[in-house]
Amino acid sequence: MKQTFVIILILISNLIYGQIPNELTNAEKIYGLSKFWQEVNYNFVYLNKVDKTEWNNQYKKLITEIQNTANDYEYYRLLQKFCATLKDGHTNVWFPKEIQDKILNTDFGEFKFILSNIDGKAIITKVNKSKLSELPIGTEIIKVNGIPTKDYVNQNVKPYISSSTEHILNDLSIKYMLEGFVGSKFKLELRLPNDKIKTINLTHKESTEEELYPEEKNELFEFKWINDDIAYIALNSFSSWEIMDLFSEKFQEIQKAKKLIIDLRKNGGGKENIGREIIKYLTNDTILYSSKSKSRLHIPIYKAWGKYTKAQDTLRGEWQKQSYLSYHDEFYYNLPYKPYSTSNLDITRIELPTAILIGHNTASAAEDFLIYADNQENITKIGEPTFGSTGQPMIFDLPNGGYGRICTKKDTYPDGREFVGYGIKPDIEVKTTLKDYIENNDPVLDKAIKYLNEK
């Protein structure tokens, strides 16, 4: 019986992997690995935080391992695992399109659902409407293919995810824990909200039913009145300058408000300047302070001298200091910094008691927006810590259509405080609980309304 079961697993595996390209030669595999390793060594801005002995040992070990990968998918998975050890949200390896197009995460044919991390548990927080009674909101996945969910995630998901912060690593590990190729099969043990246990078998297949419950707006910009005093705007992305036009169209109406809520919880970033162009209308300050940035400066001769330079030698002069730091990959170029002056702008500006809603998905350029808003006495941040990752990635090609990116810029608060790796903390922390998801409540927005009403 056991032998028969093994044969069935092999047949299923072959059926799934039969769809996966297997075109890379060993030379191409080694080149792709070496290309990524090289770019990190020369350009990764946080290389000083990496254990270089361990990093190089992993590289040498992988030279053999990647040549034994069964197909291009397994090869890229190993590159992703290697990349994840750098622990940076703006440093990644992506599959070639031919592979990525065959990978699904939320679709299981007649079922479609989204998982969220709630207190370390894998909870269904959205599901297609036709299956709401079978997989109600709040259902917990307690086992995957017979393995307790926490163990399954730690073994099969978490080691492959690049993240700067622990809370985002945990979120993404659960969000993508059922990702797999079309045809991948999962046996899930579930705990329903009524505490009943049930088992369900699912296979990855594109779902035709797109609508999920609860419904969620995906507009670039949202505006509404909470009450006669409080206006609400959602800035859901800084990826397009269109949001500036949408904001400008509503600004005259926003001026009628006595208090303001700005929702950044869906804003994953984009162009830093968009956030600056919006916030200049929402403060009377004549100077706005952005993040400070720096990048590694590599001059080979200083690195050569640095091999023979000791820490105490840095007291003797600048070139000794530069040599020592260059050898240890810690010499940086500080990008020109100039606060943004608004004193000469002929614009109408308002300064209202304002609550900014933030969360784990508030990232990159949206975090830059929060730095502009830092220390504004009229602004209070409410929610959970942000994504904790920003910077300027350098993108480069990898074999057969894949590509990687390396973070080349370190951003901090103007006074040097770090937020990458930690997230920007709220002034008032509010978490969304399992009960909130089940009842479709928004405790962060509720807290902001209560806070502003009391101001």
Side-chain angles (χ1 to χ4, degrees):
M1 184 68 183
K2 184 177 179 181
Q3 187 176 12
T4 303
F5 180 69
V6 171
I7 291 172
I8 291 172
L9 283 179
I10 291 172
L11 289 174
I12 291 172
S13 177
N14 288 340
L15 182 64
I16 295 171
Y17 282 132
Q19 306 172 41
I20 303 175
N22 186 25
E23 301 171 0
L24 293 174
T25 65
N26 282 341
E28 289 172 320
K29 291 178 180 180
I30 294 172
Y31 169 77
L33 169 65
S34 301
K35 174 70 172 174
F36 182 77
W37 176 76
Q38 175 199 39
E39 296 295 359
V40 168
N41 289 338
Y42 276 87
N43 299 303
F44 185 46
V45 73
Y46 297 108
L47 188 64
N48 64 315
K49 296 184 178 182
V50 175
D51 183 333
K52 296 184 189 65
T53 300
E54 177 60 23
W55 171 250
N56 290 328
N57 286 339
Q58 285 185 66
Y59 167 66
K60 289 184 283 188
K61 181 182 176 184
L62 281 171
I63 290 174
T64 300
E65 288 186 11
I66 60 168
Q67 295 182 72
N68 296 324
T69 51
N71 49 58
D72 297 353
Y73 171 76
E74 287 190 7
Y75 166 72
Y76 269 95
R77 285 279 283 173
L78 277 183
L79 288 191
Q80 289 179 336
K81 191 174 183 180
F82 188 38
C83 176
T85 64
L86 297 172
K87 298 181 179 180
D88 183 67
H90 276 61
T91 300
N92 310 87
V93 170
W94 282 296
F95 294 114
K97 188 176 185 300
E98 187 179 3
I99 295 176
Q100 188 61 53
D101 286 349
K102 296 175 181 176
I103 296 176
L104 298 175
N105 182 45
T106 62
D107 290 28
F108 298 90
E110 59 181 326
F111 291 91
K112 185 182 180 77
F113 57 85
I114 290 175
L115 295 173
S116 298
N117 170 30
I118 303 177
D119 295 327
K121 298 176 181 178
I123 304 294
I124 294 176
T125 52
K126 289 184 183 296
V127 66
N128 53 323
K129 283 189 173 182
S130 65
K131 297 298 179 182
L132 186 56
S133 60
E134 293 182 56
L135 294 180
I137 302 300
T139 296
E140 178 189 355
I141 299 178
I142 56 178
K143 285 186 180 180
V144 181
N145 297 335
I147 304 172
T149 297
K150 184 176 181 180
D151 294 335
Y152 180 86
V153 166
N154 287 339
Q155 294 167 19
N156 302 292
V157 188
K158 193 172 284 188
Y160 299 89
I161 292 179
S162 297
S163 174
S164 303
T165 55
E166 192 67 23
H167 58 273
I168 296 301
L169 177 61
N170 293 332
D171 286 356
L172 296 180
S173 296
I174 286 178
K175 180 179 180 180
Y176 293 109
M177 77 178 201
L178 299 181
E179 186 177 79
F181 263 80
V182 173
S184 300
K185 297 181 181 296
F186 296 92
K187 180 181 179 181
L188 305 180
E189 187 173 319
L190 312 173
R191 178 183 286 115
L192 303 181
N194 61 8
D195 280 335
K196 288 186 178 180
I197 305 297
K198 70 180 287 187
T199 300
I200 187 171
N201 293 296
L202 298 175
T203 301
H204 268 312
K205 179 183 177 183
E206 287 197 21
S207 302
T208 56
E209 187 180 357
E210 292 296 325
E211 193 173 354
L212 295 176
Y213 176 86
E215 295 181 30
E216 185 177 357
K217 291 182 179 179
N218 290 308
E219 299 171 2
L220 188 62
F221 175 86
E222 299 172 47
F223 172 85
K224 64 183 178 182
W225 286 97
I226 299 294
N227 55 39
D228 291 341
D229 291 341
I230 302 175
Y232 167 96
I233 61 174
L235 308 174
N236 292 327
S237 175
F238 291 146
S239 61
S240 169
W241 281 98
E242 181 188 351
I243 195 171
M244 190 67 226
D245 297 331
L246 296 171
F247 172 80
S248 298
E249 288 173 10
K250 289 293 182 181
F251 186 60
Q252 191 169 358
E253 191 169 354
I254 294 171
Q255 292 175 50
K256 300 174 185 177
K258 295 179 181 177
K259 300 164 187 177
L260 182 64
I261 293 174
I262 303 173
D263 197 340
L264 294 178
R265 289 176 293 172
K266 297 180 189 174
N267 195 321
K271 301 176 178 67
E272 174 195 348
N273 289 348
I274 295 177
R276 184 193 69 192
E277 290 304 299
I278 290 176
I279 201 169
K280 72 184 183 185
Y281 289 92
L282 305 175
T283 174
N284 289 325
D285 280 4
T286 56
I287 297 178
L288 296 175
Y289 294 92
S290 65
S291 58
K292 281 190 173 180
S293 305
K294 61 183 180 181
S295 187
R296 287 172 57 195
L297 182 59
H298 180 69
I299 301 177
I301 193 168
Y302 281 103
K303 196 163 189 175
W305 288 332
K307 182 176 175 64
Y308 308 102
T309 306
K310 296 182 174 65
Q312 57 265 32
D313 296 334
T314 61
L315 299 175
R316 292 165 46 199
E318 279 302 310
W319 80 263
Q320 289 93 341
K321 182 179 179 180
Q322 183 171 345
S323 299
Y324 179 83
L325 292 174
S326 294
Y327 184 73
H328 291 88
D329 300 306
E330 293 187 5
F331 190 72
Y332 299 95
Y333 170 73
N334 292 309
L335 276 69
Y337 183 80
K338 184 179 180 182
Y340 181 67
S341 174
T342 61
S343 58
N344 295 324
L345 298 178
D346 184 19
I347 60 174
T348 300
R349 302 162 70 188
I350 58 175
E351 189 170 275
L352 308 173
T354 300
I356 300 183
L357 312 187
I358 62 174
H360 291 182
N361 294 322
T362 307
S364 197
E367 292 175 303
D368 293 327
F369 180 94
L370 294 174
I371 290 176
Y372 280 116
D374 188 47
N375 292 327
Q376 296 284 336
E377 292 183 359
N378 64 307
I379 292 177
T380 302
K381 302 183 292 293
I382 300 176
E384 296 187 80
T386 63
F387 195 83
S389 182
T390 189
Q392 176 58 56
M394 182 191 76
I395 298 175
F396 52 92
D397 293 333
L398 291 171
N400 209 31
Y403 57 101
R405 69 175 189 171
I406 303 293
C407 185
T408 62
K409 179 167 71 77
K410 177 179 180 178
D411 288 330
T412 66
Y413 280 93
D415 58 10
R417 283 177 292 151
E418 294 195 18
F419 64 94
V420 173
Y422 310 97
I424 293 175
K425 302 294 190 292
D427 301 304
I428 302 173
E429 186 168 10
V430 180
K431 291 185 177 182
T432 304
T433 65
L434 178 56
K435 185 174 184 289
D436 292 319
Y437 276 107
I438 293 173
E439 298 179 359
N440 199 20
N441 293 330
D442 188 343
V444 180
L445 179 58
D446 291 344
K447 180 64 177 179
I449 294 170
K450 181 180 179 183
Y451 173 79
L452 289 176
N453 280 334
E454 293 173 350
K455 289 287 285 183

